[in-house]
Short mmCIF file of all heavy atoms in Angstrom, two decimals:
data_model
loop_
_atom_site.label_atom_id
_atom_site.label_comp_id
_atom_site.label_asym_id
_atom_site.label_seq_id
_atom_site.Cartn_x
_atom_site.Cartn_y
_atom_site.Cartn_z
N LEU A 229 3.19 52.16 -8.73
CA LEU A 229 2.17 53.13 -8.33
C LEU A 229 2.80 54.40 -7.79
O LEU A 229 2.19 55.46 -7.79
CB LEU A 229 1.24 52.52 -7.26
CG LEU A 229 0.16 51.56 -7.75
CD1 LEU A 229 -0.55 50.93 -6.56
CD2 LEU A 229 -0.85 52.27 -8.64
N CYS A 230 4.03 54.26 -7.29
CA CYS A 230 4.73 55.42 -6.75
C CYS A 230 5.08 56.39 -7.88
O CYS A 230 5.25 56.01 -9.03
CB CYS A 230 6.02 54.98 -6.05
SG CYS A 230 5.78 54.05 -4.53
N ASP A 231 5.21 57.67 -7.51
CA ASP A 231 5.59 58.69 -8.48
C ASP A 231 6.69 59.57 -7.86
O ASP A 231 6.42 60.33 -6.95
CB ASP A 231 4.38 59.55 -8.82
CG ASP A 231 4.68 60.59 -9.91
OD1 ASP A 231 5.70 60.44 -10.59
OD2 ASP A 231 3.90 61.54 -10.03
N PRO A 232 7.93 59.43 -8.38
CA PRO A 232 8.37 58.54 -9.46
C PRO A 232 8.41 57.08 -9.01
O PRO A 232 8.41 56.81 -7.81
CB PRO A 232 9.78 59.06 -9.78
CG PRO A 232 10.27 59.60 -8.48
CD PRO A 232 9.06 60.23 -7.83
N PRO A 233 8.45 56.14 -9.98
CA PRO A 233 8.53 54.73 -9.62
C PRO A 233 9.71 54.46 -8.69
O PRO A 233 10.78 55.07 -8.80
CB PRO A 233 8.72 54.04 -10.98
CG PRO A 233 8.03 54.96 -11.94
CD PRO A 233 8.34 56.35 -11.44
N LEU A 234 9.50 53.53 -7.77
CA LEU A 234 10.40 53.32 -6.64
C LEU A 234 11.47 52.28 -6.92
O LEU A 234 11.17 51.14 -7.31
CB LEU A 234 9.58 52.89 -5.42
CG LEU A 234 10.35 52.54 -4.16
CD1 LEU A 234 11.05 53.77 -3.58
CD2 LEU A 234 9.42 51.90 -3.13
N THR A 235 12.72 52.65 -6.68
CA THR A 235 13.82 51.68 -6.65
C THR A 235 13.69 50.82 -5.40
O THR A 235 13.39 51.34 -4.32
CB THR A 235 15.18 52.40 -6.64
OG1 THR A 235 15.38 53.03 -7.91
CG2 THR A 235 16.31 51.43 -6.37
N SER A 236 13.90 49.52 -5.54
CA SER A 236 13.70 48.64 -4.39
C SER A 236 14.62 47.44 -4.44
O SER A 236 15.00 46.96 -5.51
CB SER A 236 12.24 48.17 -4.34
OG SER A 236 11.98 47.42 -3.18
N ILE A 237 14.97 46.95 -3.25
CA ILE A 237 15.76 45.72 -3.11
C ILE A 237 14.80 44.54 -3.12
O ILE A 237 13.83 44.51 -2.37
CB ILE A 237 16.59 45.74 -1.82
CG1 ILE A 237 17.65 46.86 -1.90
CG2 ILE A 237 17.26 44.39 -1.59
CD1 ILE A 237 18.44 47.06 -0.64
N GLU A 238 15.09 43.58 -3.96
CA GLU A 238 14.22 42.41 -4.11
C GLU A 238 14.72 41.26 -3.24
O GLU A 238 15.78 40.70 -3.50
CB GLU A 238 14.19 41.96 -5.57
CG GLU A 238 13.30 40.75 -5.82
CD GLU A 238 13.30 40.36 -7.28
OE1 GLU A 238 12.77 41.12 -8.10
OE2 GLU A 238 13.86 39.29 -7.61
N PRO A 239 13.97 40.89 -2.19
CA PRO A 239 14.35 39.70 -1.41
C PRO A 239 14.23 38.44 -2.26
O PRO A 239 13.44 38.40 -3.20
CB PRO A 239 13.34 39.70 -0.26
CG PRO A 239 12.69 41.04 -0.27
CD PRO A 239 12.74 41.51 -1.70
N ASP A 240 14.99 37.43 -1.91
CA ASP A 240 14.92 36.17 -2.65
C ASP A 240 13.85 35.28 -2.02
O ASP A 240 14.14 34.23 -1.44
CB ASP A 240 16.29 35.48 -2.64
CG ASP A 240 16.45 34.51 -3.80
OD1 ASP A 240 15.42 34.14 -4.40
OD2 ASP A 240 17.59 34.13 -4.10
N THR A 241 12.60 35.72 -2.12
CA THR A 241 11.51 35.05 -1.42
C THR A 241 11.27 33.63 -1.91
O THR A 241 10.92 32.75 -1.12
CB THR A 241 10.22 35.87 -1.55
OG1 THR A 241 9.97 36.16 -2.93
CG2 THR A 241 10.34 37.18 -0.80
N GLU A 242 11.45 33.40 -3.19
CA GLU A 242 11.22 32.05 -3.70
C GLU A 242 12.26 31.08 -3.16
O GLU A 242 11.97 29.93 -2.88
CB GLU A 242 11.19 32.07 -5.22
CG GLU A 242 10.00 32.83 -5.76
CD GLU A 242 9.79 32.67 -7.25
OE1 GLU A 242 10.41 31.77 -7.84
OE2 GLU A 242 8.98 33.43 -7.81
N ARG A 243 13.48 31.58 -2.98
CA ARG A 243 14.51 30.74 -2.37
C ARG A 243 14.15 30.45 -0.92
O ARG A 243 14.36 29.33 -0.42
CB ARG A 243 15.87 31.44 -2.46
CG ARG A 243 17.03 30.60 -1.93
CD ARG A 243 18.33 31.35 -2.07
NE ARG A 243 19.43 30.64 -1.43
CZ ARG A 243 20.59 31.20 -1.11
NH1 ARG A 243 20.80 32.47 -1.41
NH2 ARG A 243 21.53 30.50 -0.52
N ILE A 244 13.61 31.44 -0.20
CA ILE A 244 13.18 31.22 1.17
C ILE A 244 12.11 30.14 1.22
O ILE A 244 12.17 29.21 2.03
CB ILE A 244 12.65 32.54 1.79
CG1 ILE A 244 13.81 33.50 2.04
CG2 ILE A 244 11.89 32.28 3.09
CD1 ILE A 244 13.37 34.90 2.48
N GLY A 245 11.11 30.25 0.34
CA GLY A 245 10.05 29.24 0.31
C GLY A 245 10.57 27.86 -0.04
O GLY A 245 10.17 26.85 0.58
N TYR A 246 11.47 27.79 -1.01
CA TYR A 246 12.02 26.51 -1.44
C TYR A 246 12.84 25.87 -0.32
O TYR A 246 12.70 24.67 -0.03
CB TYR A 246 12.89 26.73 -2.67
CG TYR A 246 13.26 25.45 -3.42
CD1 TYR A 246 12.49 25.01 -4.48
CD2 TYR A 246 14.37 24.71 -3.05
CE1 TYR A 246 12.82 23.85 -5.17
CE2 TYR A 246 14.71 23.55 -3.72
CZ TYR A 246 13.94 23.12 -4.79
OH TYR A 246 14.26 21.96 -5.46
N ARG A 247 13.68 26.69 0.33
CA ARG A 247 14.52 26.17 1.42
C ARG A 247 13.66 25.75 2.61
O ARG A 247 13.94 24.73 3.26
CB ARG A 247 15.53 27.24 1.85
CG ARG A 247 16.63 27.55 0.85
CD ARG A 247 17.77 26.53 0.93
NE ARG A 247 18.35 26.48 2.26
CZ ARG A 247 19.32 27.31 2.70
NH1 ARG A 247 19.80 28.25 1.90
NH2 ARG A 247 19.82 27.17 3.92
N ALA A 248 12.62 26.52 2.91
CA ALA A 248 11.74 26.17 4.02
C ALA A 248 11.03 24.85 3.75
O ALA A 248 10.90 24.00 4.64
CB ALA A 248 10.74 27.28 4.26
N ALA A 249 10.57 24.65 2.51
CA ALA A 249 9.89 23.41 2.15
C ALA A 249 10.85 22.22 2.24
O ALA A 249 10.48 21.14 2.71
CB ALA A 249 9.31 23.52 0.75
N GLY A 250 12.09 22.43 1.82
CA GLY A 250 13.08 21.36 1.91
C GLY A 250 13.37 20.97 3.34
O GLY A 250 13.49 19.78 3.68
N LEU A 251 13.51 21.97 4.21
CA LEU A 251 13.76 21.69 5.63
C LEU A 251 12.57 20.92 6.22
O LEU A 251 12.76 19.93 6.95
CB LEU A 251 14.00 22.99 6.39
CG LEU A 251 14.40 22.89 7.86
CD1 LEU A 251 15.22 24.11 8.26
CD2 LEU A 251 13.18 22.80 8.78
N LEU A 252 11.35 21.39 5.91
CA LEU A 252 10.16 20.72 6.44
C LEU A 252 10.08 19.27 5.94
O LEU A 252 9.77 18.35 6.70
CB LEU A 252 8.90 21.48 6.02
CG LEU A 252 7.57 20.88 6.52
CD1 LEU A 252 7.48 20.95 8.04
CD2 LEU A 252 6.39 21.59 5.88
N ASP A 253 10.39 19.05 4.69
CA ASP A 253 10.36 17.70 4.11
C ASP A 253 11.31 16.77 4.86
O ASP A 253 10.95 15.65 5.24
CB ASP A 253 10.73 17.78 2.63
CG ASP A 253 10.40 16.51 1.87
OD1 ASP A 253 9.66 15.66 2.40
OD2 ASP A 253 10.89 16.36 0.73
N ARG A 254 12.54 17.24 5.09
CA ARG A 254 13.52 16.41 5.79
C ARG A 254 13.07 16.15 7.23
O ARG A 254 13.25 15.04 7.77
CB ARG A 254 14.88 17.08 5.75
CG ARG A 254 15.49 17.14 4.35
CD ARG A 254 16.92 17.63 4.36
NE ARG A 254 17.03 19.01 4.83
CZ ARG A 254 16.89 20.08 4.06
NH1 ARG A 254 16.60 19.94 2.78
NH2 ARG A 254 17.03 21.30 4.57
N TRP A 255 12.49 17.18 7.84
CA TRP A 255 12.02 17.04 9.23
C TRP A 255 10.87 16.03 9.31
O TRP A 255 10.83 15.19 10.21
CB TRP A 255 11.58 18.42 9.72
CG TRP A 255 11.38 18.54 11.21
CD1 TRP A 255 11.53 17.57 12.16
CD2 TRP A 255 10.97 19.73 11.90
NE1 TRP A 255 11.24 18.07 13.40
CE2 TRP A 255 10.91 19.39 13.28
CE3 TRP A 255 10.66 21.02 11.49
CZ2 TRP A 255 10.53 20.32 14.25
CZ3 TRP A 255 10.30 21.95 12.46
CH2 TRP A 255 10.24 21.61 13.81
N MET A 256 9.94 16.10 8.37
CA MET A 256 8.83 15.15 8.37
C MET A 256 9.31 13.72 8.15
O MET A 256 8.62 12.76 8.51
CB MET A 256 7.81 15.54 7.30
CG MET A 256 7.05 16.83 7.59
SD MET A 256 5.68 17.19 6.43
CE MET A 256 6.55 17.32 4.85
N ASN A 257 10.52 13.58 7.57
CA ASN A 257 11.09 12.25 7.33
C ASN A 257 12.11 11.86 8.38
O ASN A 257 12.88 10.92 8.19
CB ASN A 257 11.71 12.20 5.94
CG ASN A 257 10.66 12.08 4.84
OD1 ASN A 257 10.06 11.03 4.67
ND2 ASN A 257 10.42 13.17 4.13
N GLY A 258 12.09 12.57 9.52
CA GLY A 258 12.89 12.13 10.67
C GLY A 258 14.20 12.84 10.91
O GLY A 258 14.88 12.56 11.90
N GLU A 259 14.59 13.78 10.03
CA GLU A 259 15.87 14.49 10.21
C GLU A 259 15.65 15.72 11.09
O GLU A 259 14.79 16.55 10.81
CB GLU A 259 16.44 14.90 8.86
CG GLU A 259 17.79 15.62 8.96
CD GLU A 259 18.32 15.99 7.59
OE1 GLU A 259 18.14 15.19 6.64
OE2 GLU A 259 18.91 17.09 7.46
N ALA A 260 16.45 15.85 12.14
CA ALA A 260 16.30 16.98 13.06
C ALA A 260 16.66 18.28 12.35
O ALA A 260 17.67 18.36 11.63
CB ALA A 260 17.20 16.79 14.28
N PRO A 261 15.87 19.33 12.55
CA PRO A 261 16.13 20.61 11.87
C PRO A 261 17.20 21.41 12.59
O PRO A 261 17.42 21.23 13.80
CB PRO A 261 14.78 21.33 11.97
CG PRO A 261 14.22 20.85 13.28
CD PRO A 261 14.64 19.40 13.39
N PRO A 262 17.88 22.31 11.88
CA PRO A 262 18.84 23.20 12.55
C PRO A 262 18.09 24.24 13.38
O PRO A 262 16.98 24.65 13.02
CB PRO A 262 19.58 23.87 11.38
CG PRO A 262 18.58 23.84 10.26
CD PRO A 262 17.80 22.56 10.44
N PRO A 263 18.65 24.68 14.50
CA PRO A 263 17.96 25.68 15.32
C PRO A 263 18.11 27.08 14.75
O PRO A 263 18.96 27.33 13.89
CB PRO A 263 18.69 25.57 16.67
CG PRO A 263 20.09 25.15 16.29
CD PRO A 263 19.92 24.25 15.09
N GLY A 264 17.28 27.99 15.24
CA GLY A 264 17.44 29.41 14.90
C GLY A 264 16.92 29.77 13.53
O GLY A 264 16.18 29.02 12.89
N ILE A 265 17.34 30.95 13.08
CA ILE A 265 16.85 31.53 11.83
C ILE A 265 17.96 31.54 10.78
O ILE A 265 19.05 32.05 11.03
CB ILE A 265 16.34 32.96 12.05
CG1 ILE A 265 15.16 32.95 13.03
CG2 ILE A 265 15.93 33.62 10.73
CD1 ILE A 265 14.69 34.33 13.43
N THR A 266 17.69 30.98 9.62
CA THR A 266 18.64 30.98 8.51
C THR A 266 18.44 32.25 7.70
O THR A 266 17.33 32.59 7.30
CB THR A 266 18.41 29.76 7.60
OG1 THR A 266 18.58 28.56 8.37
CG2 THR A 266 19.38 29.77 6.43
#
Side-chain angles (χ1 to χ4, degrees):
L229 282 173
C230 291
D231 184 16
L234 176 67
T235 291
S236 185
I237 295 175
E238 181 180 291
D240 203 343
T241 52
E242 294 190 13
R243 184 179 173 197
I244 289 173
Y246 194 93
R247 290 278 302 275
L251 186 153
L252 180 65
D253 194 13
R254 293 188 296 274
W255 194 0
M256 291 188 299
N257 284 288
E259 181 179 322
I265 298 174
T266 300

